[in-house]
Amino acid sequence: MMKILNIISSPVNGTSASTKLGNAIVTKLQEKYADNTVTLRNIAQEPLPHLEEIQMTSFFTADEKRTPQQKDALKLSDKVVDEVMDADVIVINVPMYNFGIPSTLKTWLDHLIRKDITFQHSTSGIQGMVTGKKVYLAISSGGIYSEGPRKHLDYTENYLRSVLDFIGITDVTVFRIEAQSKPDLKEEYAAKAMKNISI
Ligand SMILES: Cc1cc2nc3c(=O)[nH]c(=O)nc-3n(C[C@H](O)[C@H](O)[C@H](O)COP(=O)(O)O)c2cc1C
């Protein structure tokens, strides 16, 4: 059984390029692994709240010492962690916003990255605790960043690779759908993106 988790972070319904690309990746995974389940987590439609002081104190308090209020404040974070821990493959749909990731996706990561839950300090340094997962990033952008003069402005791929590596996810494949704000190139780049998906 292949358990697929698909994180949707574009608020655009119907025409979202990152969702289209993410859907195509999920379909290919389903073709490859006939015995599968797909969990959709739409963090644009149901955004997680920004972390507040109660989460800060709860994160760094041992479970047996947490107050009922602190335990309650961790419920959403626990759900995010459980979904990721339960998945074999995670497909993250990422529209580029202002050279980086949407704030909804950043907040999802803030709930996911937790000391002694998804990473820990060891004698050899930080050790990620989310092991054995495969991640596909479906990144959409208005411009072109895979090559050319704007390459250095892409803060999506490098950032996501860094935080995922921090929690132990090292097997990351990136697919891009670019030039979506360029009417003359949009369709060509969309077709190229779909053709390039190899699982
Ligand atoms: C708030 C906002 C910021 C954006 N910033 C960038 C950007 O920095 N670089 C870029 O190439 N495209 C940018 N775009 C264009 C989107 O990345 C592009 O339209 C992409 O296809 C959006 O993904 P979606 O169709 O899945 O929503 C931005 C779009 C929005 C709405």
Side-chain angles (χ1 to χ4, degrees):
M1 166 74 77
M2 177 62 64
K3 289 186 266 182
I4 304 163
L5 172 65
N6 186 199
I7 307 297
I8 300 154
S9 66
S10 171
V12 176
N13 291 309
T15 57
S16 159
S18 61
T19 306
K20 201 166 131 189
L21 184 59
N23 284 346
I25 296 167
V26 170
T27 300
K28 290 256 183 189
L29 284 165
Q30 288 182 295
E31 283 166 9
K32 183 164 179 179
Y33 305 102
D35 190 13
N36 67 76
T37 61
V38 180
T39 301
L40 296 179
R41 176 61 48 214
N42 192 322
I43 55 174
Q45 279 175 7
E46 288 181 66
L48 291 148
H50 285 161
L51 299 183
E52 295 182 6
E53 186 176 11
I54 184 124
Q55 279 88 30
M56 300 295 133
T57 54
S58 315
F59 280 179
F60 298 100
T61 302
D63 194 46
E64 64 276 11
K65 291 190 177 161
R66 284 183 186 130
T67 65
Q69 289 84 355
Q70 284 178 326
K71 285 187 182 177
D72 199 48
L74 288 180
K75 279 186 179 158
L76 286 173
S77 172
D78 288 344
K79 190 164 190 289
V80 168
V81 171
D82 287 349
E83 277 185 349
V84 166
M85 289 300 198
D86 192 46
D88 300 304
V89 183
I90 305 157
V91 180
I92 308 178
N93 308 352
V94 189
M96 178 188 278
Y97 281 177
N98 303 315
F99 307 114
I101 65 171
S103 58
T104 46
L105 186 55
K106 173 62 167 58
T107 306
W108 180 80
L109 288 165
D110 291 341
H111 283 269
L112 174 65
I113 301 172
R114 281 175 54 187
K115 186 173 170 296
D116 296 329
I117 302 282
T118 51
F119 75 92
Q120 64 190 350
H121 295 282
S122 73
T123 46
S124 55
I126 296 287
Q127 196 175 36
M129 297 167 77
V130 189
T131 53
K133 315 285 178 199
K134 167 84 194 172
V135 165
Y136 293 94
L137 300 178
I139 303 176
S140 62
S141 56
I144 298 167
Y145 298 85
S146 58
E147 58 185 4
R150 289 184 139 202
K151 200 169 191 284
H152 70 288
L153 292 173
D154 174 32
Y155 292 91
T156 59
E157 178 176 344
N158 193 31
Y159 171 69
L160 286 168
R161 281 189 185 278
S162 303
V163 287
L164 292 171
D165 181 78
F166 185 78
I167 58 171
I169 301 176
T170 52
D171 189 356
V172 178
T173 298
V174 176
F175 295 115
R176 286 178 181 268
I177 178 164
E178 302 189 284
Q180 293 305 291
S181 302
K182 298 178 186 292
D184 51 329
L185 296 175
K186 186 179 167 165
E187 295 309 326
E188 179 194 331
Y189 273 76
K192 199 163 74 173
M194 296 302 153
K195 206 169 148 228
N196 282 346
I197 300 168
S198 59
I199 301 294

